């Protein structure tokens, strides 16, 4: 802009402005806009899908496997493959070119090295025997702070590392579900029926007491009756990652936010915060996975409360800016009052009945700086560090252009083919998410080890 030109908001003609204006929008206008978005979304989401309309995961090269996935030197890797014809041999695009493998094949190779290779190497990630899956929730009521990105990347890193992962999407926006190519028709393929089932069991127990007192039982409506037949396994879907499964979300899941308080009014004794934990436990899901990641909506509603109380590790992403720090502080304040009021309610009743009191407990709670720009935010990040101390994860996840830049069907660093990027950009982008995972894994292993030692000392 030359200095002689007026700023763009001067000299706007009302008549010209009117000419550009469309007629007012009514309610139906939203439907039209939504329709246009759905059309666009489906077109975009359809790109890069296979013939069955499913997502597929890219292949992994020998370079990537030996650098990032299995701790073995490339020459040794090739030798072991040559000597064991029954192992996956990979495929190459040109004669004598680099060999590429599916993740399933990588997992088989890793299992082979773990069984046959040097016992001093970490071919398989640590996990105490018989330990239940660790549940990790990612939450912050501030929107757009990187919850879903962090959650998805941690899940993918953990899967590449050899863990078996279940994702639970509690956000009716369904971003995590899109990332993993989930197909969700309605609320019956979300956690909704699981929560309903938990409530239905409470109502049945209440009704038994009503009958014992000679009172009329409350009827179970169609929704509750049907929910009684749903098991977690029925709604878990496979994804294009061989070792990541998904419980998806969709707009209708939001209905739970209205339904849950109605149920709670009807049955005061319903421990709604235990619903998700109890159902996962009762259905044996926690024995079938190593890690469960829960992505939550940017709100502290009933679904988030359920996710947070099921979680043993709570991660709270935030950007290193004043506004995000400020609102994250309020989020912790809300967590305190929400869980305290649940504890008070429960413990008042428990004391009256002479029963033991309850209290929520998390193995670890960590704030995680995301989208960090070292050039602009070092001072703010330092301040946040000073105020939060050990609650802040030691690693700051950098802002990286790799996110959002990859193709429509590709989500994040681990799904992207490194050949599509400048090697330097790729290496730096990947490093920041690898470090985010390393900080998380340190936390996880510490917690698992603590439990393992406790079990040993109890047994001995
Ligand atoms: N490390 C990063 N570098 C660059 N962009 C990032 C990074 N992490 C997240 N983003 C981008 O920031 C935006 C918000 O991220 P994301 O959707 O993960 O946030 P969210 O907290 O889950 O949002 P919501 O509150 O809506 O659920 C997205 O466009 C995402 O691609
Ligand atoms: Mg999100």
């Amino acid at each position: 802009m030359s200095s002689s030109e007026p700023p763009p908001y001067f000299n706007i003609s009302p008549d010209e402005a009117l000419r550009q204006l469309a007629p007012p929008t009514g309610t139906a206008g939203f439907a039209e806009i939504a329709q246009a978005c759905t059309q666009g979304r489906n077109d975009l989401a359809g790109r890069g899908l296979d013939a069955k309309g499913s997502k597929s995961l890219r292949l992994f090269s020998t370079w990537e496997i030996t650098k990032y996935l299995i701790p073995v030197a490339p020459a040794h890797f090739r030798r072991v493959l040559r000597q064991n014809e029954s192992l996956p041999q990979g495929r190459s695009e040109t004669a004598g070119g680099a060999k590429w493998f599916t993740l399933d094949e990588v997992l088989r190779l890793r299992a082979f090295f773990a069984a046959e290779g040097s016992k001093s190497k970490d071919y398989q990630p640590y996990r105490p025997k018989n330990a239940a899956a660790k549940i990790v929730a990612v939450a912050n009521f501030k929107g757009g702070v990187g919850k879903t990105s962090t959650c998805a990347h941690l899940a993918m890193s953990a899967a590449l590392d050899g863990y078996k992962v279940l994702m639970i999407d509690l956000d009716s926006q369904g971003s995590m579900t899109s990332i993993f190519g989930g197909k969700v028709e309605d609320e019956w393929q979300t956690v909704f029926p699981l929560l309903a089932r938990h409530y239905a069991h409470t109502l049945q127990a209440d009704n038994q007491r009503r009958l014992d007192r000679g009172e009329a039982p409350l009827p179970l409506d169609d929704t509750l009756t049907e929910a009684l037949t749903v098991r977690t396994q029925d709604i878990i879907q496979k994804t294009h990652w061989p070792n990541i499964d998904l419980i998806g979300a969709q707009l209708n899941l939001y209905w739970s936010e209205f339904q849950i308080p109605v149920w709670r009014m009807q049955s005061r004794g319903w421990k709604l915060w235990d619903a998700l934990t109890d159902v996962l436990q009762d259905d044996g899901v926690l024995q079938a996975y190593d890690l469960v990641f829960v992505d939550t909506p940017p709100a502290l509603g009933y679904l988030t409360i359920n996710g947070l109380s099921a979680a043993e590790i709570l991660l709270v992403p935030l950007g290193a800016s004043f506004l995000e720090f400020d609102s994250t502080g309020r989020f912790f304040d809300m967590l305190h009052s929400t869980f305290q009021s649940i504890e008070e309610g429960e413990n008042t009743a428990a004391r009256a009945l002479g029963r033991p009191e309850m209290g929520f407990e998390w193995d670890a709670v960590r704030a995680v700086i995301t989208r960090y720009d070292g050039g602009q935010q070092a001072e703010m990040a330092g301040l946040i560090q000073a105020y939060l101390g050990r609650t802040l994860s030691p690693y700051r996840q950098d802002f990286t252009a790799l996110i959002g830049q990859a193709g429509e069907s590709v989500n994040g660093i681990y799904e992207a083919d490194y050949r599509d990027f400048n090697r330097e950009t790729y290496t730096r982008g990947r490093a920041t998410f690898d470090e985010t995972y390393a900080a998380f894994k340190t936390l996880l292993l510490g917690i698992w080890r603590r439990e393992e030692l406790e079990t040993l000392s109890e047994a001995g």
Side-chain angles (χ1 to χ4, degrees):
M1 187 182 78
S2 79
S3 58
S4 61
E5 247 176 70
Y9 45 83
F10 281 2
N11 304 323
I12 296 175
S13 142
D15 285 319
E16 175 55 20
L18 171 60
R19 210 181 52 73
Q20 290 177 21
L21 189 67
T25 303
T27 310
F30 293 134
E32 266 170 51
I33 302 168
Q35 177 59 36
C37 293
T38 307
Q39 182 67 46
R41 186 214 167 272
N42 291 344
D43 291 350
L44 287 171
R47 293 190 198 170
L49 299 188
D50 63 18
K52 283 185 303 193
S54 304
K55 282 193 163 194
S56 54
L57 188 59
R58 69 184 175 92
L59 301 178
F60 297 81
S61 71
T62 303
W63 172 76
E64 189 177 4
I65 294 171
T66 54
K67 178 169 169 64
Y68 289 110
L69 305 180
I70 305 179
V72 46
H76 181 58
F77 180 79
R78 289 194 196 94
R79 195 161 49 241
V80 170
L81 257 56
R82 267 199 308 276
Q83 287 164 356
N84 296 274
E85 281 171 13
S86 62
L87 287 177
Q89 298 292 320
R91 66 225 67 177
S92 43
E93 291 167 349
T94 53
K99 289 276 205 273
W100 294 78
F101 300 80
T102 65
L103 183 54
D104 224 10
E105 291 171 337
V106 175
L107 298 175
R108 276 165 58 201
L109 290 169
R110 191 203 311 269
F112 180 84
F113 279 99
E116 309 289 327
S118 155
K119 294 290 165 244
S120 64
K121 282 197 176 175
D122 283 345
Y123 290 116
Q124 297 283 12
Y126 166 86
R127 177 212 211 276
K129 277 193 199 63
N130 304 324
K134 271 284 158 211
I135 308 181
V136 185
V138 184
N140 192 336
F141 82 149
K142 177 109 181 122
V145 293
K147 293 182 287 297
T148 304
S149 305
T150 301
C151 195
H153 278 88
L154 284 176
M156 291 178 191
S157 321
L160 290 174
D161 201 15
Y163 288 120
K164 190 154 193 271
V165 176
L166 174 67
M167 308 303 297
I168 302 181
D169 194 352
L170 292 185
D171 186 353
S172 55
Q173 296 179 85
S175 309
M176 187 60 85
T177 303
S178 297
I179 290 176
F180 286 104
K183 298 201 168 77
V184 184
E185 290 290 315
D186 56 27
E187 68 275 25
W188 287 90
Q189 277 118 54
T190 72
V191 294
F192 175 78
L194 304 180
L195 305 181
R197 188 184 98 197
H198 191 265
Y199 171 69
H201 283 304
T202 305
L203 192 57
Q204 284 179 324
D206 283 358
N207 277 342
Q208 190 53 54
R209 278 190 290 275
R210 285 194 183 88
L211 287 172
D212 293 345
R213 288 195 302 263
E215 293 168 18
L218 293 177
L220 265 69
D221 62 21
D222 291 350
T223 302
L224 295 177
T225 309
E226 183 164 353
L228 281 170
T229 67
V230 180
R231 282 169 52 82
T232 311
Q233 285 79 357
D234 302 333
I235 53 166
I236 291 179
Q237 31 182 322
K238 297 252 160 253
T239 72
H240 56 301
W241 284 69
N243 52 351
I244 302 183
D245 291 348
L246 168 77
I247 297 180
Q250 188 250 23
L251 209 53
N252 294 4
L253 176 60
Y254 195 69
W255 171 248
S256 314
E257 296 293 347
F258 302 100
Q259 184 62 73
I260 290 173
V262 173
W263 287 336
R264 172 86 171 147
M265 289 285 282
Q266 201 172 44
S267 173
R268 280 306 190 179
W270 181 39
K271 298 184 190 335
L272 66 93
W273 49 88
D274 282 344
L276 191 58
T277 328
D278 288 349
V279 167
L280 293 177
Q281 214 147 41
D282 293 349
D283 288 347
V285 174
L286 298 180
Q287 297 308 323
Y289 295 91
D290 299 313
L291 285 163
V292 178
F293 283 99
V294 184
D295 189 33
T296 62
L300 188 51
Y302 291 107
L303 289 167
T304 305
I305 290 174
N306 241 292
L308 293 183
S309 41
E312 298 156 281
I313 299 177
L314 170 59
L315 301 178
V316 181
L318 78 156
S321 73
F322 175 77
L323 284 181
E324 293 189 30
F325 180 47
D326 186 35
S327 100
T328 300
R330 286 168 217 268
F331 177 60
F332 279 110
D333 204 20
M334 286 165 66
L335 289 180
H336 172 246
S337 39
T338 303
F339 287 105
Q340 189 188 38
S341 87
I342 297 175
E343 285 172 356
E344 266 170 15
E346 287 297 288
N347 291 335
T348 311
R351 276 191 297 272
L353 298 165
R355 295 202 184 128
E357 298 191 13
M358 59 88 76
F360 290 94
E361 190 180 79
W362 290 267
D363 289 331
V365 174
R366 289 286 179 283
V368 182
I369 289 188
T370 59
R371 297 160 296 132
Y372 178 62
D373 172 358
Q376 311 279 338
Q377 299 180 316
E379 193 184 342
M380 192 62 212
L383 279 172
I384 295 177
Q385 181 94 64
Y387 288 109
L388 289 183
R390 277 165 59 110
T391 300
L392 190 71
S393 175
Y395 185 74
R396 298 167 189 169
Q397 177 198 108
D398 286 327
F399 185 93
T400 164
L402 279 184
I403 292 198
Q405 207 190 54
E408 297 84 2
S409 64
V410 170
N411 292 288
I413 314 279
Y414 298 111
E415 292 195 346
D417 186 328
Y418 57 84
R419 292 169 300 175
D420 294 343
F421 300 93
N422 156 322
R423 186 65 76 106
E424 165 84 1
T425 315
Y426 179 83
T427 313
R428 256 190 298 125
R430 178 161 189 155
T432 202
F433 278 95
D434 283 350
E435 292 283 0
T436 304
Y437 175 61
F440 166 77
K441 189 178 174 186
T442 306
L443 202 60
L444 174 71
L445 297 201
I447 293 167
W448 262 337
R449 185 69 180 141
R450 180 164 70 193
E451 286 171 5
E452 193 176 37
L453 292 177
E454 277 166 10
T455 315
L456 285 175
S457 76
E458 279 161 23

